[in-house]
RNA sequence: GGCCCCAUCGUCUAGGGGACUAGGACGCCGGCCUCUCACGCCGGAAACAGGGGUUCGAAUCCCCUUGGGGCUACCA
């Protein structure tokens, strides 16, 4: 019988949810979905020093924003401390573990100098039960180490991504499972919980590949079945070092705050280290969970490319219907204080229309506020470059033609009955022709008048979107400046 | 240092002995479209790390070298 799929994402709340962690969460989530399994969120907060409750909130908020819902949890390891102590106690009584009286400072000094091999160099592993007990009774502090079984030989496992991975047990040190203060180390808590939660597949970063042999030893010592393992290649910065703060944005919430869509981030992340095997590039979460299999995960580490993310974000903005973008764009405009809260129904329809105009030329949500500013407020600046190009006319006769053209345009636009794409274009072209104005120059001038920019959606779209009176007003204002 | 892992254009990748004059995507460079920009379309430059094998035949299999990453904590 095939065991049911139960996977977990187990971040430690020592920092915000990183891009690498997000991808691990995503792959676990996809694997669970693909197999109709269970996705568990477990918080590895056994290091009280570095963990913080705020970070747990950040992690859950990040995952919710991404749309990676968990079926069980969040389960905090700090709530299971007894469980780990009990297991350690059992291992102690079975002599699979032993008390080590060396201090942390002792052992780190040893590790710096040379590889010790085997157990604790001070010989704690050979201490008799009586002596060990006596010293502890005398108040000496002791950590608990796992005894690497003598002659265990090679420890190997069949990684679902990397294939066969092996290491000699003699390469392993007797690692600490319980600190002197009675709290578990990572190795113990992960294994205990993976047993307790009946995790079927451990899917995690490749930085844990070397830890896996230790974990296998613990599973064996605890007499528990060993889950399948799948390690994911790491995500690197452009310098091929592990992705971190100094590479710029690295946390999920930062990307959100920079105007990235969750769909785009997820889509991009899915393609980092995994490929569908064909040329498809755009995937929804549903499509991903259909297509996703571990055997298509790559082994090589991947460099994070923010340019491609941005491209993909632009594509997602472009392909999403305006309704779906509405709320996110609203949030951005609100932050930029460009949002008129009193928008009525008609104005909402207009709003969607403007989103539609801006959509194909925008790469992040922020661009709606920057690039599209003139749609939402009269308080915009006239950029010098396009002003110089279209409105600073040195030749007096040329300039006169432009002023006349604009005057006529204002006249015609303010009196035309139907202010439409068709009429605005017909009128403008006719006036340009009539006064010997180059159409491009005339359009350019009007565009600057309306938006302050040399780059904007098609002029007639802009005119209609701004509406008759506001368009005329802005053109007139520029005309007066010209004279 | 020791151990483990990895290696196709700058980047993400397809490729799992002949279908490879190595395909796609981002980025870059040209062109078309056009009122600007973007979108779209067309085209271009750009890679099998090096060396040995195995084989009739290697990007694909093996070995070595080189490069990169990970682990080597009473962090996770």
């Amino acid at each position: 019988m095939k065991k049911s799929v139960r996977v977990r994402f187990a971040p430690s709340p020592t920092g915000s949810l990183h891009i690498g962690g997000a991808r691990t969460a995503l792959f676990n989530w996809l694997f669970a979905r693909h197999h109709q399994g269970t996705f568990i969120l477990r918080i590895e907060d056994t290091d009280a020093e570095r963990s913080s409750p705020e970070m747990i909130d950040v992690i859950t908020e990040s995952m919710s924003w991404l749309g990676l819902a968990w079926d069980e949890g969040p389960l905090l390891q700090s709530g299971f401390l007894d469980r780990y102590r009990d297991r350690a106690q059992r291992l102690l009584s079975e002599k699979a573990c032993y008390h080590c009286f060396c201090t942390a400072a002792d052992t780190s000094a040893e590790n710096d100098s040379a590889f010790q091999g085997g157990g604790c160099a001070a010989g704690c592993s050979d201490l008799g039960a009586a002596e060990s007990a006596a010293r502890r009774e005398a108040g000496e502090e002791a950590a608990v180490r796992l005894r690497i079984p003598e002659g265990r030989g090679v420890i190997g496992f069949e990684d679902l991504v990397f294939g066969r991975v092996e290491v000699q047990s003699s390469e392993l040190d007797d690692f600490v499972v319980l600190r002197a203060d009675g709290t578990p180390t990572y190795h113990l808590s992960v294994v205990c919980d993976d047993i307790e939660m009946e995790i079927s597949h451990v899917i995690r970063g490749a930085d844990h590949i070397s830890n896996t042999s230790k974990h296998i030893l613990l599973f064996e010592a605890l007499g528990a079945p060993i889950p399948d393992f799948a390690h994911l290649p790491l995500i690197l910065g452009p310098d091929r070092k592990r992705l971190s703060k100094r590479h710029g944005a690295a946390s999920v919430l930062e990307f959100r705050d920079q105007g990235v869509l969750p769909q785009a981030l997820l889509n991009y992340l899915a393609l980092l280290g995994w490929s569908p095997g064909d040329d498809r590039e755009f995937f929804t979460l549903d499509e991903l969970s259909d297509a996703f299999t571990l055997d298509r995960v790559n082994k090589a580490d991947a460099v994070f490319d923010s340019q491609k993310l941005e491209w993909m974000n632009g594509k997602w903005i472009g392909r999403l219907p305006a309704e779906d973008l509405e709320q996110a764009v609203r949030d951005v405009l609100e932050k930029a204080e460009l949002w008129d809260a009193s928008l009525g129904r008609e104005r909402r329809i207009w709003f969607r229309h403007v989103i539609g105009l801006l959509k194909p030329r925008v790469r992040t949500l922020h661009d709606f506020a920057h690039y599209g500013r003139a749609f939402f407020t009269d308080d915009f600046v006239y950029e010098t470059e396009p002003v110089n190009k279209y409105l600073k006319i040195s030749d007096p006769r040329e300039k006169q033609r432009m002023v006349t053209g604009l005057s006529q345009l204002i006249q015609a636009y303010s009196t035309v009955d139907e202010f439409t794409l068709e009429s605005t274009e017909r009128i403008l072209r006719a006036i340009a022709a009539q006064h010997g104005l180059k159409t491009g120059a005339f359009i350019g001038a009007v565009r600057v008048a309306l938006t302050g920019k040399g780059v904007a959606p098609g002029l007639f779209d802009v005119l209609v979107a701004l509406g008759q009176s506001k368009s005329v007003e802005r053109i007139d204002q520029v005309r007066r400046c010209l004279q």
Side-chain angles (χ1 to χ4, degrees), chain A residues 83-101:
Chain A
R83 175 193 297 168
Y84 312 126
R85 273 192 279 264
D86 289 348
R87 300 265 193 185
Q89 202 51 52
R90 203 177 104 198
L91 294 177
L92 239 16
S93 67
E94 290 167 357
K95 301 268 189 291
C97 284
Y98 60 87
H99 286 282
C100 173
F101 296 92

Side-chain angles (χ1 to χ4, degrees), chain A residues 6-27:
Chain A
R6 289 176 60 81
V7 296
R8 56 14 174 227
F9 173 54
S12 64
T14 53
S16 50
L17 182 61
H18 256 238
I19 281 310
R23 196 200 45 176
T24 302
L26 171 64
F27 282 20

Side-chain angles (χ1 to χ4, degrees), chain A residues 125-358:
Chain A
S125 62
D126 302 325
L127 250 33
E131 184 182 351
S132 173
R135 284 177 69 172
R136 272 177 291 127
E137 233 134 281
E140 246 189 279
E141 294 219 311
V144 177
R145 290 180 184 274
L146 182 83
R147 196 188 306 276
I148 306 297
E150 198 77 28
R152 170 63 175 71
V154 344
I155 307 165
F157 62 99
E158 215 57 57
D159 192 281
L160 265 21
V161 169
F162 285 88
R164 185 87 196 152
V165 178
E166 292 183 338
V167 67
Q168 289 290 336
S169 65
S170 55
E171 297 291 340
L172 266 32
D173 280 319
D174 291 353
F175 56 95
V176 171
V177 295
L178 214 56
R179 303 184 186 105
D181 66 4
T183 60
T185 61
Y186 161 74
H187 303 299
L188 211 221
S189 57
V190 195
V191 171
C192 286
D193 284 339
D194 285 344
I195 293 170
E196 200 70 30
M197 297 168 189
E198 298 183 297
I199 298 302
S200 62
H201 302 259
V202 173
I203 304 172
R204 65 200 345 174
D207 47 343
H208 287 300
I209 213 159
S210 303
N211 288 332
T212 304
S213 52
K214 297 179 187 172
H215 298 172
I216 287 175
L217 253 22
L218 272 172
F219 278 107
E220 288 176 353
L222 289 165
I226 297 169
D228 286 341
F229 293 97
H231 288 92
L232 274 15
L234 268 17
I235 298 177
L236 274 21
D239 56 359
R240 297 218 147 257
K241 301 281 181 229
R242 231 169 154 152
L243 196 64
S244 71
K245 284 280 171 230
R246 50 192 185 79
H247 297 108
S251 80
V252 170
L253 261 24
E254 278 176 290
F255 285 104
R256 180 196 64 184
D257 295 341
Q258 288 180 3
V260 172
L261 250 20
Q263 292 96 324
L265 187 55
L266 249 12
N267 195 159
Y268 175 71
L269 251 23
L271 263 18
L272 255 197
W274 174 84
S275 91
D278 52 41
D279 290 341
R280 282 181 300 165
E281 292 220 88
F282 291 93
F283 292 88
T284 61
L285 267 183
D286 281 342
E287 290 165 341
L288 280 174
S289 47
D290 278 345
F292 184 81
T293 55
L294 284 173
D295 58 9
R296 293 211 59 84
V297 173
N298 272 336
K299 294 199 256 256
D301 294 341
V303 172
F304 184 80
D305 181 0
S306 54
Q307 276 193 107
K308 189 156 186 178
L309 201 216
E310 223 184 75
W311 165 80
M312 183 153 266
N313 197 233
K315 287 317 195 75
W316 267 98
I317 290 175
R319 76 197 340 246
L320 246 30
E323 303 90 273
D324 294 359
L325 255 14
E326 198 177 330
Q327 187 56 51
V329 176
R330 234 175 110 152
D331 291 345
V332 165
L333 292 180
E334 258 167 33
K335 243 176 234 156
E337 295 180 349
L338 293 174
W339 180 254
D340 179 3
S342 64
L343 285 197
R345 175 180 303 265
E346 208 167 299
R347 195 71 176 155
R348 289 178 65 107
I349 294 170
W350 170 84
F351 182 48
R352 287 186 186 173
H353 174 66
V354 171
I355 289 178
L357 292 182
L358 263 14

